[in-house]
Amino acid sequence: MNCLTDMPTARAMVMNTVTTATNTATNTETPATTITADTHTRGFALIELRQVEQCLWDLSRFASVPPGADLAFVNSADTVYYSIYSSDSSNSAGPNSNSSHSCGSPPKSTSTTSSAVVQLIQGIYELNLDGAHQIDRASASRPSPLFILRNRIYTNAQLTEMCHGMVRVAAKRVTGKIRATHHGITLGRKYVEVSYRWQDLSNWVSAPLANSLSTLRSKQLHHYFMQTALNLRDQISRHPGPRYLSHRPIAALLVSATHQILAIATNTHAKNKTLHAEINLIQSFQSKQGGKLPPGSRIYTTLKPCKMCAGMIWTAAEDIRSLRVYFSEDDPGPSAKFTVLGPGTHERLRATSDPALRLLHLEERLF
């Protein structure tokens, strides 16, 4: 079913009708807070802020949002795409979510590798994989992800480095900590819920293990695991068609403090721009084993992590001070410069107020 054109008309009409009726009945409500142009509302006009707060109020009231859940949404051509995320639930998709957009099994425990913003972006890329690299499409009924995500994303949640990084690489802009407020505005928009569940796309690769690693020294261990990642990278085949249809050859390993390979992954971003090797790696580990990345973990990746991957690594680590990232090749592109993994960067200063942690080196180039 095409969720954009075939989304139950009755539901869309009911939402709009109920919204209108409720607006009429509750025009005397006094908002809990006064609207002010403070730091998180700079850059867009007050009238737009009122519409955004009204949209969030409508969603929180009519979209079956669990108590304490976070909401993120983006408006494109009078269609509001939204995602519901609850950190204490293994399945944060609401009852109206389209099951065809949920991939794989739900996590075994509380997710540390998603949020309402992350789920929204990853879910939108799954809406139309064939048009993932197009800015616009002739058919207005199936706009491409890039066309949708060029608009600002709004959320009621506090933004994490994971959110900032994914927006930086796979979307355009985001505003957090929006307050759901009733302003008596009838928006008359169509609502489409999207969700995303990580899908294992790397079963075809295998990571050969040495019979014993106990006799290897630290430098030899680094060399062994990095060479394993490089071998995995070399297994990635290129698509014979246009370059954007091919997965960029990148591979990554997650290794425990006791030298066990906890997860392996490769880049599968040809149609979903968010699925870099490190994103697949962390979401694979969380989906299969649950919880945060264990203390003392090491990530070996064949290319320096971009801002999106660095943000997820930072957010997913149980103890970021003891985690290290090793890469074999530098990435000259702007997305990999000044990430949260680098000491003293804007992203690091935003992520922590700890003076020692602000200057800690977390990544290193090997070879």
Side-chain angles (χ1 to χ4, degrees):
M1 181 178 75
N2 185 337
C3 73
L4 300 184
T5 57
D6 298 334
M7 173 190 178
T9 305
R11 175 174 173 263
M13 291 178 62
V14 167
M15 288 192 82
N16 292 334
T17 303
V18 173
T19 302
T20 303
T22 306
N23 288 341
T24 303
T26 58
N27 275 338
T28 57
E29 290 186 7
T30 301
T33 55
T34 302
I35 303 172
T36 58
D38 54 23
T39 55
H40 80 271
T41 64
R42 283 184 311 199
F44 54 95
L46 182 60
I47 186 171
E48 182 177 351
L49 171 62
R50 292 168 65 89
Q51 293 176 350
V52 168
E53 292 179 334
Q54 181 69 54
C55 186
L56 186 60
W57 188 90
D58 291 344
L59 283 172
S60 61
R61 190 172 178 88
F62 302 118
S64 302
V65 181
D70 293 332
L71 273 165
F73 66 92
V74 59
N75 178 48
S76 177
D78 289 330
T79 297
V80 174
Y81 302 86
Y82 70 95
S83 178
I84 303 170
Y85 179 78
S86 178
S87 61
D88 58 358
S89 173
S90 62
N91 183 9
S92 53
N96 297 318
S97 118
N98 190 319
S99 61
S100 64
H101 303 150
S102 299
C103 308
S105 302
K108 293 183 178 180
S109 65
T110 300
S111 173
T112 60
T113 60
S114 193
S115 66
V117 171
V118 169
Q119 185 168 268
L120 178 70
I121 296 172
Q122 292 194 294
I124 286 176
Y125 273 100
E126 294 293 317
L127 285 176
N128 184 6
L129 293 179
D130 292 335
H133 290 267
Q134 300 180 34
I135 298 298
D136 204 346
R137 290 180 61 89
S139 173
S141 63
R142 288 184 67 85
S144 75
L146 291 181
F147 178 78
I148 298 171
L149 291 171
R150 70 183 184 179
N151 299 286
R152 183 179 291 273
I153 295 171
Y154 300 98
T155 179
N156 61 345
Q158 173 73 44
L159 297 173
T160 66
E161 287 306 309
M162 176 174 60
C163 300
H164 283 295
M166 186 159 287
V167 170
R168 177 69 172 80
V169 174
K172 284 293 184 183
R173 54 191 70 85
V174 63
T175 297
K177 298 175 68 175
I178 294 293
R179 298 164 291 183
T181 308
H182 179 58
H183 295 294
I185 302 172
T186 302
L187 299 175
R189 292 171 180 168
K190 183 179 179 180
Y191 294 85
V192 176
E193 183 175 3
V194 297
S195 62
Y196 177 80
R197 290 292 179 270
W198 178 84
Q199 184 179 11
D200 191 353
L201 300 175
S202 58
N203 287 332
W204 58 276
V205 297
S206 60
L209 297 178
N211 293 328
S212 175
L213 299 177
S214 59
T215 59
L216 296 181
R217 297 180 180 178
S218 176
K219 186 174 182 179
Q220 293 173 314
L221 283 170
H222 290 325
H223 185 277
Y224 170 78
F225 288 120
M226 184 58 76
Q227 190 59 54
T228 301
L230 291 170
N231 292 341
L232 293 175
R233 179 198 65 182
D234 293 340
Q235 296 182 38
I236 302 174
S237 59
R238 302 289 294 187
H239 192 280
R243 183 178 180 182
Y244 69 82
L245 293 178
S246 294
H247 301 311
R248 190 176 181 184
I250 303 169
L253 271 67
L254 175 64
V255 180
S256 73
T258 57
H259 316 313
Q260 294 180 315
I261 295 181
L262 302 177
I264 62 174
T266 57
N267 192 350
T268 58
H269 82 316
K271 292 187 176 182
N272 186 329
K273 196 175 179 180
T274 69
L275 299 183
H276 289 196
E278 297 91 335
I279 300 296
N280 283 331
L281 182 78
I282 297 173
Q283 292 188 326
S284 169
F285 171 79
Q286 203 284 324
S287 177
K288 295 176 180 179
Q289 302 193 37
K292 293 202 168 190
L293 304 183
S297 297
R298 304 188 302 278
I299 291 177
Y300 296 87
T301 180
T302 58
L303 188 70
K304 186 178 186 293
C306 67
K307 293 180 184 293
M308 174 175 66
C309 299
M312 183 166 285
I313 291 170
W314 177 277
T315 305
E318 181 175 335
D319 178 17
I320 192 63
R321 291 173 176 82
S322 66
L323 184 142
R324 292 296 180 271
V325 177
Y326 299 97
F327 59 93
S328 64
E329 296 180 21
D330 197 7
D331 187 343
S335 294
K337 294 185 181 298
F338 309 114
T339 74
V340 70
L341 297 179
T345 62
H346 167 74
E347 286 79 357
R348 180 73 69 86
L349 300 180
R350 179 178 60 196
T352 180
S353 58
D354 185 330
L357 185 53
R358 284 183 164 188
L359 299 177
L360 185 63
H361 288 264
L362 298 175
E363 58 183 356
E364 177 182 342
R365 183 176 181 178
L366 299 180
F367 303 158

